[in-house]
């Protein structure tokens, strides 16, 4: 069983997953590119992965060809769904059982296609898979926070070339996320406005950092970028929860995402990048904290970060 361990000096949680240490590729200098015939994410190799959790498939039974998007448990998960959440002190440290979920979203059956290469309709299917898994995992009252991310390219942390993203759900709120959520809540308590909405409105009026504006979404460069060519994608209308997007909204978001990804691929010649979807945590009841995240539907604003590495 993996553990979540608190580092009191750096003020963050670390996942200790001993089983992932047995992955053969961890001892290679560079991850090896898999041929299509041996890639576990390609058509016909469904038996080389854990059984699928969810799939968008026009034809064929589960765990067979015929799918467009496929969601499976990570073969080497950092967290496992089975078990009870327990926490304890360990000297000056804190330890929590490694309960959670670690899933892989295989975005296309085509080995040679990245997310930027997919059509808006195909990206919409990927977004529908994201939404479905968010909604399903939120039914588990042990899980407090979820992060969906994509590592594209070896330098960005991808160990398989086939286009995929990952979803991790944990029984706590990571400090970095908690800080952002706290800032949003305090801003709303003070001004009764969403800090993201203020930021978006200012940038739309300024126009100097707008990359592309759509009817309901906008792509921009951050005012205080941490990395060159960093991009953010926001819904223009206030929305705290990505999972509340309907199919039409996901269709427009897919167009905006393709535009953003294709710009990066074209200008920087398909660089490695990290993609993170930030959305509000589930409002699970908490002992002694009945109003925890009580204003989150008003103070938070979901968004996407894209960072070349």
């Amino acid at each position: 069983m993996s553990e979540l361990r608190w580092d009191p000096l750096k003020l963050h949680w670390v996942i200790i997953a001993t089983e992932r240490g047995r992955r053969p590729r961890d001892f290679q200098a560079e991850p090896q590119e898999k041929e299509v015939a041996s890639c576990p994410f390609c058509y016909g190799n469904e038996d080389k992965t854990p059984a699928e959790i969810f799939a968008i498939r026009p034809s064929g039974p589960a765990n067979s060809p015929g799918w467009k998007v496929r969601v499976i448990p990570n073969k080497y998960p950092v967290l496992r769904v089975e078990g009870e959440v327990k926490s304890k002190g360990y000297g000056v440290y804190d330890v929590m059982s490694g309960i959670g979920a670690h899933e892989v979203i295989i975005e296309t059956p085509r080995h040679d296609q990245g997310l930027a290469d997919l059509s808006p309709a195909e990206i919409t299917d990927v977004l529908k898979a994201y939404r479905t898994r968010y909604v399903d995992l939120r039914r588990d009252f042990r899980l407090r926070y979820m992060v969906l991310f994509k590592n594209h390219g070896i330098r960005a942390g991808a160990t398989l070339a086939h286009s995929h993203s990952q979803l991790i759900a944990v029984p706590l709120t990571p400090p970095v996320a908690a800080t952002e959520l706290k800032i949003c809540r305090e801003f709303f308590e003070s001004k009764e406005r969403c800090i993201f909405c203020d930021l978006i409105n200012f940038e739309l009026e300024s126009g100097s950092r707008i990359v592309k504006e759509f009817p309901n979404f906008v792509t921009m460069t951050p005012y205080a970028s941490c990395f060159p060519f960093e991009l953010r994608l926001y819904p223009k209308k206030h929305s705290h929860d990505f999972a509340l997007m309907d199919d039409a909204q996901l269709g427009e978001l897919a167009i905006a995402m393709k535009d953003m990804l294709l710009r990066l691929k074209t200008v920087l010649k398909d660089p490695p990048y990290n993609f993170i979807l930030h959305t509000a945590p589930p409002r699970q009841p908490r002992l002694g904290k009945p109003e925890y995240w009580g204003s989150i539907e008003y103070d938070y604003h979901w968004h996407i970060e894209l960072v070349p590495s």
Side-chain angles (χ1 to χ4, degrees), residues 7 107 110 120 127 145 186 212 242 249 257 280 301 305:
D7 187 328
E107 299 156 351
R110 291 172 292 177
L127 295 173
Y145 190 78
E186 290 176 349
K212 180 75 172 180
F242 165 81
Q249 291 169 321
M257 276 183 56
H301 201 115
E305 291 185 12

Side-chain angles (χ1 to χ4, degrees), residues 132-156:
T132 298
R133 296 312 304 148
Y134 269 123
V135 171
D136 186 52
L137 288 170
R138 285 177 181 178
R139 297 190 181 103
D140 190 330
F141 281 82
R142 299 171 303 168
L143 304 178
R144 299 286 174 83
Y145 190 78
M146 298 166 198
V147 60
L148 195 147
F149 63 96
K150 177 179 176 64
N151 301 329
H152 173 77
I154 291 173
R155 282 193 306 168

Side-chain angles (χ1 to χ4, degrees), residues 195-206:
I195 189 171
F196 283 101
C197 287
D198 275 16
L199 180 153
I200 293 164
N201 291 334
F202 172 78
E203 293 294 353
L204 286 170
E205 290 175 7
S206 168

